[in-house]
Amino acid sequence: MTVRRRWAVRGLRAGALAALLAYAAGRYASRSGGLVEVERLLDRPVLLLGAAVVLLVVSAVLGIGARTGSGSGARAGFVQIAVAVVLAPLVAASAVGAVSSRLLDGGARSVERKVHPDHPERVLTVTGDSSSIDSTSYRAELLTGTGWSARHWTIGSWDGGRDRLRAVECSTADRITVTTAREVLVFTLGPDGDPGRPAATPR
């Protein structure tokens, strides 16, 4: 393997690793308490996972072709084609899966957004997902902070069936009250905005 090709293979693999690490950071930020901007920028499976797979495939083809030796050009070309044919379905499957996941996530829409009257850096959001044929599910989150320090905290998710979501509101300076068809949930916020476990009262 020539020095130039060796560095090309290493560069491609390094790029694939960087894409995977970036997506891992974005995925980690999607958890409750994660950074909003990191999730927005890096939780992109179609772009980052697709790029990582393509870079790995190209590096594998270059690497295998080089290891067959410079004196067997026909054999090297055959091996490269064979590897590309084997790995191409993996690339396609990865792309289709990522796109399908993103399309399903795209069904979510903003339903309600409330700014806390005493804490403008705290915002309650409710999003609805109508991907289900039978009903619409709702997800409530609390956004705290601003800019790169902003975090999102999961309040909960409810479907449109028996436990239908009725209201989400900031009842006091450090409490959020969620009313459903079955119960009333009161979340007491921690210093960082974490809603923690709620106190439930049946209706």
Side-chain angles (χ1 to χ4, degrees), residues 32 142 153-155 176 186-190 192-198:
S32 181
L142 174 67
W153 302 91
T154 300
I155 303 296
I176 294 175
V186 178
F187 296 84
T188 301
L189 304 180
D192 56 357
D194 186 356
R197 299 180 65 87

Side-chain angles (χ1 to χ4, degrees), residues 5-199:
R5 178 167 288 192
R6 184 183 299 115
W7 278 106
V9 170
R10 289 179 179 176
L12 290 170
R13 291 175 180 172
L17 178 60
L20 290 175
L21 291 177
Y23 174 66
R27 197 62 186 168
Y28 183 74
S30 68
R31 82 196 195 290
S32 181
L35 294 170
V36 175
E37 289 300 317
V38 174
E39 180 193 19
R40 183 181 66 83
L41 292 173
L42 300 180
D43 189 14
R44 297 178 177 273
V46 175
L47 175 63
L48 295 176
L49 292 183
V53 172
V54 170
L55 291 174
L56 288 175
V57 169
V58 175
S59 70
V61 172
L62 286 178
I64 291 177
R67 285 195 297 271
T68 58
S70 58
S72 53
R75 183 184 174 190
F78 176 77
V79 172
Q80 287 178 319
I81 293 173
V83 172
V85 168
V86 171
L87 295 180
L90 297 179
V91 177
S94 174
V96 170
V99 171
S100 298
S101 175
R102 182 56 62 185
L103 288 176
L104 289 177
D105 291 343
R109 69 185 190 283
S110 177
V111 175
E112 196 171 16
R113 184 180 177 90
K114 296 180 179 179
V115 178
H116 195 293
D118 300 322
H119 298 276
E121 76 282 1
R122 296 180 179 176
V123 180
L124 273 174
T125 65
V126 178
T127 54
D129 183 3
S130 57
S131 59
S132 172
I133 298 177
D134 299 328
S135 60
T136 298
S137 61
Y138 295 94
R139 176 184 177 88
E141 284 190 324
L142 174 67
L143 306 181
T144 61
T146 58
W148 285 97
S149 64
R151 296 181 179 273
H152 61 98
W153 302 91
T154 300
I155 303 296
S157 299
W158 297 267
D159 60 27
R162 297 176 60 186
D163 194 25
R164 186 182 299 273
L165 180 65
R166 300 296 188 188
V168 181
E169 57 188 357
C170 300
S171 49
T172 65
D174 61 350
R175 289 186 179 181
I176 294 175
T177 300
V178 177
T179 305
T180 72
R182 290 183 174 182
E183 58 188 356
V184 176
L185 304 171
V186 178
F187 296 84
T188 301
L189 304 180
D192 56 357
D194 186 356
R197 299 180 65 87

